[in-house]
Amino acid sequence: MLMCFQDASNSSQYILPEELVHKPGLDLNANSTAQENDLQFVWSNEPTFTFSVVRRSTGDVIYSTEGSVLVFENQFVEQVSTLPENYNLYGLGERIHGLRLGNNFTATIYAADVGDPIDYNIYGSHPFYLDTRYFEMGSDGNMTLVTSNETSANSSYKSYSHGVYLRNAHGMDVVLKPENITWRTLGGSLDMYFFDGPSQPEVSKAYFTSAVGLPVMQQYFTFGYHQCRWGYKNWTQLQEVVDNFANFGIPLENIWTDIDYMFQYRDFTVDNNTFSIEQGQQFLSRLHANGQHYIPIVDSAIYRPNPENASDAYDTYTRGADLDVYMRNPDGSEYIGSVWPGYTVFPDWHSPNSVPWWSQEMVLWHQEIQYDGIWIDMSEVSSFCVGSCGTGNLTLNPVHPFFSLPGEPGAIIYDYPENFNITNSTEAASASAASSSQDAAKSTSTSSDIASATSTSTQPYLRTTPTPGVRNVNHPPYVINHVNGDLAVHAVSPNATHVDGVEEYDVHNLFGHQILNATYQGLLAVFPSKRPFIIGRSTFAGSGKWAGHWGGDNASKWYYMYFSIPQALSFSLFGIPMVSFLQQLSQA
């Protein structure tokens, strides 16, 4: 069952195109009164518009806006549905949280580059939830909704599940209260879909087949053992890791590298001093001869060369600029943020040239480095400064990020695993002392050493007063509970503009989704007869038909291992069953 509340007359509201996110069609039996169509839609305009969705077989109201008012304003849309006491909702990702969401929780959906905080929004955007309700079966055949956690061994119970999907890509808060759920979005339409189940597998099947697509089929090797960490220094060290797995009889299917391999952190390059093409081809030849595979990381921003330094030329950027595939400022100039390599530009996936350009870069790079899959990072999309901070500053490129990187002087990782201080007290004490000394040194250094006026660390969140007919996309009137506060912090600013005039505000949550599609097409160009293997950090509803997901920048701590279970289960509900957790290793 689907419903859409929006028409073309309200031009301030962005309507999500089918070219960006698939729009499900009506079921063949949608208008049938037969029992196989178990959902019934009821609506009224008295005293104002309300609607309810009822399960025919049980009479259970699974969604109802009665008693509330639909709010449809510029940059703010709200609707409320009642829920039964002690309800069981799952989904509404992405965040580090228990599988069951609870009934006093705000699930914010806004793609964020952030180091996996508990309970806040992180990388992906999945406005879908599964609702499971339990009924006690009476001897007379009647069913009573169970609203308590207490059950009886002498009673018989039956469960019914349904799914709810809001096809909306804007930032939003989904507020869960003891008796209702409230959707608050920063724009768009209320394009809603209901899946009747009545069991979780049937809800998932319907959601996958009609709304988001079936999960991508993976190559067999991807189910083997993967090894990865930040900090590999050269191909020789990588070979030693592979050899040690063999020496100890540990099966190894895949080895990965983080951005260490790149030349000054630029995509589709290698550092010829440490990861030369010649040595890489020798390493990969041995690896492939042994039936093993290599997956490198690829970031989402493209280095913008210094225009006054001919030796700083970067062909990937130049080829993209010639095709006009980068996002722009409202005045038409390049939007230039800052990521690992320095000042960077960002692919505009609305440009018809963007996917062919990205695919061609992957093909060219594979001719030098014979990778087997791709690991996509920073795709929320992330930027280390607020606004187009590189504008007017390109002669400074390449510049260092506005903070120290792990392993650099003053940024050594002295953390250690839980209980290490008990079993290795001397080493732990030494690490703790070194960490304290490093922190003290940082506190006395000037902020200009590692930061600048464009740093994202101290930006306040601003709220504006609504003005009829006018949108303020950088600081909208309603403030979602975004982990980073200001929408532009650690992200491309909402006023960045696409080739079709769409502002990033309306499609921020889709960048990760679109780069996964581009990478999927690129891998098909590289390997026409193979299934592409991609792991992406930022995802949206439907990304699973192209890629798997990785859990992001979580640390090697027990509680992250604990939360990886509900995180993986939630992504199975979202249609992304291939989930990896590449934990950052602590080093004492």
Side-chain angles (χ1 to χ4, degrees), residues 276-298:
S276 72
I277 293 174
E278 181 181 358
Q279 288 181 319
Q281 290 176 344
Q282 293 172 0
F283 166 77
L284 293 170
S285 178
R286 290 191 295 268
L287 193 75
H288 292 148
N290 201 36
Q292 296 169 306
H293 308 84
Y294 169 63
I295 297 98
I297 198 169
V298 173

Side-chain angles (χ1 to χ4, degrees), residues 302-317:
I302 299 298
Y303 176 71
R304 176 57 166 93
N306 182 339
E308 297 186 7
N309 182 357
S311 67
D312 196 41
Y314 177 40
D315 290 342
T316 292
Y317 164 79

Side-chain angles (χ1 to χ4, degrees), residues 529-551:
S529 62
K530 293 183 179 180
R531 299 169 182 166
F533 175 57
I534 314 166
I535 294 293
R537 193 167 76 173
S538 183
T539 59
F540 188 77
S543 295
K545 61 179 173 286
W546 299 315
H549 172 60
W550 71 287

Side-chain angles (χ1 to χ4, degrees), residues 355-417:
V355 173
W357 158 76
W358 186 261
S359 296
Q360 181 64 13
E361 294 305 314
M362 291 178 59
V363 170
L364 292 173
W365 191 44
H366 186 266
Q367 292 171 2
E368 298 179 339
I369 299 297
Q370 290 75 45
Y371 55 83
D372 300 286
I374 293 291
W375 168 20
I376 293 293
D377 193 18
M378 311 298 288
S379 50
E380 291 68 37
V381 55
S382 178
S383 178
F384 296 155
C385 66
V386 171
S388 188
C389 59
T391 300
N393 293 321
L394 289 177
T395 56
L396 302 177
N397 247 354
V399 296
H400 193 284
F402 303 130
F403 49 85
S404 298
L405 301 179
E408 291 183 337
I412 305 300
I413 300 174
Y414 290 108
D415 200 8
Y416 43 82

